[in-house]
């Protein structure tokens, strides 16, 4: 083989300066970060507005009938304060529902527990006068279609929340809210689980128990503070027309 037919070595690719590469990557990261922040700040008000609309719709489904207006509070060890005046105070946020005359109808609180696929987030209503849960609304769930998602639709399961006992005894509930095997419910603080969806049923029970355990011992000693609100004439008239 002569020299003319021998293959010539390929020229080495030009070397990229490390400083230029680092600068490029830094700029890309900075721009990406700014875009993430921009999207978050832009969509945050819309997300919050949608959440409040969902809460508003759910609230009047889980409290006793007659509620037409809402107030937001935080229950602390020292008492109950309006949410707008809480100023970072530790406590349990909750919603109070009132009739057109400003009389307390019921309260609602958010809670969550781990389900089969993801967190099950609920809003449930409480009648503090009977110390019982009066309704339950699933805000978020990714449970298995056809099984776990029956927590939305199963009539027998939903019947558990017409008068579920959350009586307070000191600084806790007299009895924890628990899910029991389908057909074995005997006590008013028990939830009759859905057959084939025990994990999802238990998640709802845990969420309700957790929320009630946190709220009720703080709420009941100060219930008189929120039993009635002053209703402006114009506001009352508008609500009565709803």
């Amino acid at each position: 083989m002569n020299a003319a037919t021998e293959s010539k070595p390929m020229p080495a690719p030009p070397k990229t300066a490390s400083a230029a590469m680092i600068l490029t990557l830094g700029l890309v990261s900075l721009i990406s970060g700014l875009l993430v922040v921009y999207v978050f700040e832009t969509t945050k008000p819309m997300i919050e507005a949608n959440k409040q609309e969902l809460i508003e719709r759910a609230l009047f489904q889980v409290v006793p009938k007659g509620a037409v207006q809402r107030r937001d509070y935080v229950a602390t060890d020292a008492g109950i304060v309006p949410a707008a005046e809480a100023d970072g105070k530790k406590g349990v946020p909750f919603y109070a529902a009132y009739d057109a005359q400003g009389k307390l109808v019921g309260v609602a609180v958010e809670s969550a527990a781990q389900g089969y696929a993801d967190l099950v987030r609920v809003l449930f209503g409480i009648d503090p006068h009977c110390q019982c849960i009066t309704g339950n609304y699933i805000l978020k769930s990714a449970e298995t279609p056809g099984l776990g998602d029956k927590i939305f639709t199963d009539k027998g399961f939903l019947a558990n929340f017409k008068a579920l006992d959350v009586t307070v005894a000191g600084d806790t509930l007299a009895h924890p809210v628990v899910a029991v095997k389908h057909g074995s419910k005997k006590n008013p603080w028990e939830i009759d689980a859905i057959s084939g969806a025990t994990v999802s049923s238990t998640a709802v029970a845990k969420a309700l128990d957790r929320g009630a355990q946190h709220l009720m011992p703080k709420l009941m000693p100060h219930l008189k503070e929120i039993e009635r609100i002053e209703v402006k004439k114009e506001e009352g008239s508008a609500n009565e027309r709803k």
Side-chain angles (χ1 to χ4, degrees), residues 71-84 86-96 107-112 121-124 126 171 207-222 226:
R71 294 289 187 275
D72 298 355
Y73 295 102
V74 176
T76 71
D77 292 331
I80 297 173
V81 295
D87 194 25
K89 292 180 181 177
K90 291 184 178 180
V92 183
F94 71 97
Y95 312 101
V107 302
V109 62
E110 290 183 63
S111 189
R121 185 167 294 278
V122 303
L123 179 82
F124 62 97
I126 299 174
D171 59 356
L208 267 58
D209 181 67
R210 185 174 297 162
Q213 294 278 11
H214 289 165
L215 176 65
M216 292 297 284
K218 290 181 173 63
L219 173 67
M220 295 311 297
H222 304 283
I226 63 165

Side-chain angles (χ1 to χ4, degrees), residues 13-86:
K15 293 184 178 179
T16 303
S18 355
M21 183 180 293
I22 292 172
L23 178 62
T24 302
L25 290 174
L27 286 173
V28 170
S29 299
L30 177 62
I31 293 171
S32 299
L34 290 174
L35 285 173
V36 169
V37 172
Y38 173 76
V39 171
F40 174 78
E41 292 298 331
T42 303
T43 58
K44 185 178 179 181
M46 293 182 286
I47 293 172
E48 184 61 29
N50 289 336
K51 179 183 177 182
Q52 290 303 314
E53 184 179 345
L54 176 60
I55 293 295
E56 188 85 15
R57 186 167 64 250
L59 172 63
F60 296 116
Q61 292 186 36
V62 299
V63 296
K65 291 182 179 180
V68 293
Q69 49 191 318
R70 154 192 165 190
R71 294 289 187 275
D72 298 355
Y73 295 102
V74 176
T76 71
D77 292 331
I80 297 173
V81 295
E85 301 172 16

Side-chain angles (χ1 to χ4, degrees), residues 63-68 97-99 103-107 126-129 227:
V63 296
K65 291 182 179 180
V68 293
Y98 297 86
D99 64 16
K103 183 180 178 181
L104 181 68
V105 174
V107 302
I126 299 174
D127 182 345
H129 302 108
E227 280 195 320

